[in-house]
Amino acid sequence: MAASAGPEIERLISLLAKLPGMGPRSARRAALALLKKREQLLVPLAASLAETAEKVSSCSVCGAPDTRNPCSICSDGSRDNGLICVVEEAGALWAMERSGAFRGKYHVLGGLLSALDGVGPDALRIAELVGRVRGGEAKEVVLALPATVDGQTTAHYIAERVAGSGVEITSLARGVPVGGELDWLDDGTIIQALRARRPA
Amino acid sequence: MAASAGPEIERLISLLAKLPGMGPRSARRAALALLKKREQLLVPLAASLAETAEKVSSCSVCGAPDTRNPCSICSDGSRDNGLICVVEEAGALWAMERSGAFRGKYHVLGGLLSALDGVGPDALRIAELVGRVRGGEAKEVVLALPATVDGQTTAHYIAERVAGSGVEITSLARGVPVGGELDWLDDGTIIQALRARRPA
């Protein structure tokens, strides 16, 4: 680090290095950019982070970060209460929203079950989901979880917990991504896409 | 972006995306990590940026960012006032300091001369350097500027401006980097290393 630049800059660099995708080198570059663009970047970013820390909290219904509670999606009357899309993190929720194809509500788990990392059902918002499903007007739960071992373990666990409530459980379709070249796809995806083939 | 997450989070993402090495996707990932690690990351980073904005300024002598003015290097009496190392940005100064091989003072230009980007001598701290050299006890100016067209243009310009003041102008040696494989080096470096060869 820069022993000469003072403890404040060193602390800033070590905090920036904790952001995903950043390492010590890129954190130094980022700190330099911040120091150089003081009024355009450093001051606004400091204010934005302070405002986020102060105003943004987790929605008590779905768990998504928002300034409102319940969040803007949960309190949107034009959305279908009968449809709950279960996602791992808010990033997946944002991706679903960008697609513009989903007009129901969400449930953010806050992670996935993982035997390796010691993440059990109590560490996730699964009890809240079961409560929503059993107590509410939900007709379908769409599991939009990653196609990984942890993602599928979590999906199976949720399906088991919700079973018997009369609610339909679905998953996102697996297949060839739009724009995907067969040559670059893994075998598992090709096998699933072939099994689920449809009339053209 | 995430139209649903509120303007505060959108603003945070767009500011994070301005950091070097970040794009819209990685800025979203960083924002999510900040929201998820509120107490360990979001709150400390907000405080650190605010503290940096408040306390760190440019040293009036050398131009390096520091909480003190003159900075800790300029006010370090054990360092050689006769030796001034000229660097483009504070990042280069920090790299020199990490090497532990330089015990003189520094001068941060704040950029390089660039005809393409319209950066002239007045945009850099060149007049301040000339003032330091002519008015001070400097015996040698070490130009530690990048081996690019802009870096070399800037080095020549500075050498010209300082010429006649009786101060020696030197540059960092060019050659094979430590650990460098000849196979991976560009021709220019090999040519320079060969010309400047020394008895083994």
Side-chain angles (χ1 to χ4, degrees):
Chain A
M1 291 288 154
S4 53
E8 289 83 2
I9 297 179
E10 278 188 62
R11 182 162 163 68
L12 176 61
I13 292 172
S14 73
L15 283 167
L16 286 171
K18 290 184 187 166
L19 290 176
M22 284 263 196
R25 279 187 101 86
S26 43
R28 266 201 304 269
R29 279 211 315 152
L32 274 171
L34 285 163
L35 288 166
K36 199 161 170 151
K37 297 185 188 165
R38 192 193 184 79
E39 298 308 320
Q40 306 100 293
L41 200 50
L42 174 55
V43 174
L45 185 58
S48 169
L49 283 167
E51 200 182 10
T52 303
E54 188 202 344
K55 288 195 187 165
V56 176
S57 63
S58 289
C59 171
S60 56
V61 179
C62 76
D66 204 305
T67 44
R68 293 209 264 165
N69 191 4
C71 73
S72 41
I73 294 180
C74 284
S75 50
D76 181 348
S78 75
R79 280 171 172 265
D80 186 353
N81 272 324
L83 206 54
I84 299 179
C85 178
V86 178
V87 292
E88 180 186 356
E89 291 290 359
L93 186 162
W94 297 348
M96 290 287 293
E97 285 298 291
R98 283 197 300 277
S99 80
F102 185 73
R103 296 298 299 167
K105 305 284 171 100
Y106 289 94
H107 195 86
V108 180
L109 292 176
L112 296 174
L113 294 177
S114 169
L116 271 178
D117 298 333
V119 180
D122 294 343
L124 307 177
R125 301 183 65 261
I126 291 181
E128 288 87 339
L129 174 64
V130 174
R132 278 178 82 182
V133 168
R134 297 208 182 273
E137 22 183 341
K139 290 186 181 59
E140 181 181 344
V141 170
V142 184
L143 300 173
L145 298 173
T148 59
V149 171
D150 286 350
Q152 295 315 295
T153 305
T154 311
H156 283 129
Y157 180 82
I158 290 175
E160 214 162 73
R161 287 284 302 271
V162 178
S165 59
V167 170
E168 193 183 2
I169 318 278
T170 58
S171 286
L172 292 186
R174 306 228 175 281
V176 182
V178 174
E181 300 255 20
L182 286 190
D183 214 17
W184 295 96
L185 276 179
D186 61 300
D187 299 349
T189 302
I190 293 180
I191 291 167
Q192 299 230 25
L194 193 59
R195 277 196 201 139
R197 68 189 181 277
R198 303 165 44 163
Chain B
M1 291 289 155
S4 54
E8 289 81 3
I9 296 179
E10 278 186 62
R11 181 162 165 68
L12 176 61
I13 291 172
S14 73
L15 283 166
L16 287 170
K18 290 183 187 166
L19 291 175
M22 284 263 196
R25 278 186 101 86
S26 44
R28 265 201 303 270
R29 280 212 313 152
L32 274 171
L34 286 164
L35 288 166
K36 203 166 163 143
K37 297 186 188 164
R38 191 192 184 80
E39 298 307 321
Q40 306 98 293
L41 200 49
L42 173 55
V43 174
L45 185 58
S48 170
L49 284 166
E51 200 183 9
T52 303
E54 187 201 346
K55 289 194 186 167
V56 175
S57 63
S58 289
C59 171
S60 56
V61 180
C62 75
D66 204 303
T67 44
R68 292 209 264 165
N69 190 3
C71 73
S72 41
I73 294 180
C74 283
S75 51
D76 181 348
S78 75
R79 280 172 172 265
D80 186 354
N81 272 324
L83 206 55
I84 298 179
C85 178
V86 178
V87 291
E88 179 186 357
E89 291 291 357
L93 185 162
W94 297 347
M96 290 287 293
E97 284 298 291
R98 282 197 300 279
S99 81
F102 185 74
R103 295 298 299 167
K105 305 283 172 99
Y106 290 94
H107 196 86
V108 180
L109 292 176
L112 296 174
L113 293 177
S114 168
L116 271 178
D117 297 332
V119 181
D122 294 343
L124 306 177
R125 302 183 65 260
I126 291 181
E128 287 88 339
L129 174 65
V130 175
R132 278 179 82 181
V133 168
R134 297 212 181 272
E137 21 182 343
K139 290 187 181 60
E140 180 181 345
V141 170
V142 185
L143 300 173
L145 298 173
T148 59
V149 172
D150 286 350
Q152 295 315 294
T153 307
T154 310
H156 284 129
Y157 180 83
I158 290 174
E160 213 161 74
R161 287 285 301 270
V162 178
S165 59
V167 170
E168 192 182 2
I169 318 277
T170 57
S171 287
L172 291 187
R174 308 228 173 279
V176 182
V178 174
E181 301 255 18
L182 286 190
D183 213 15
W184 295 96
L185 276 180
D186 61 301
D187 298 350
T189 302
I190 292 180
I191 292 167
Q192 298 230 26
L194 193 59
R195 275 195 202 138
R197 67 189 181 279
R198 304 165 42 163

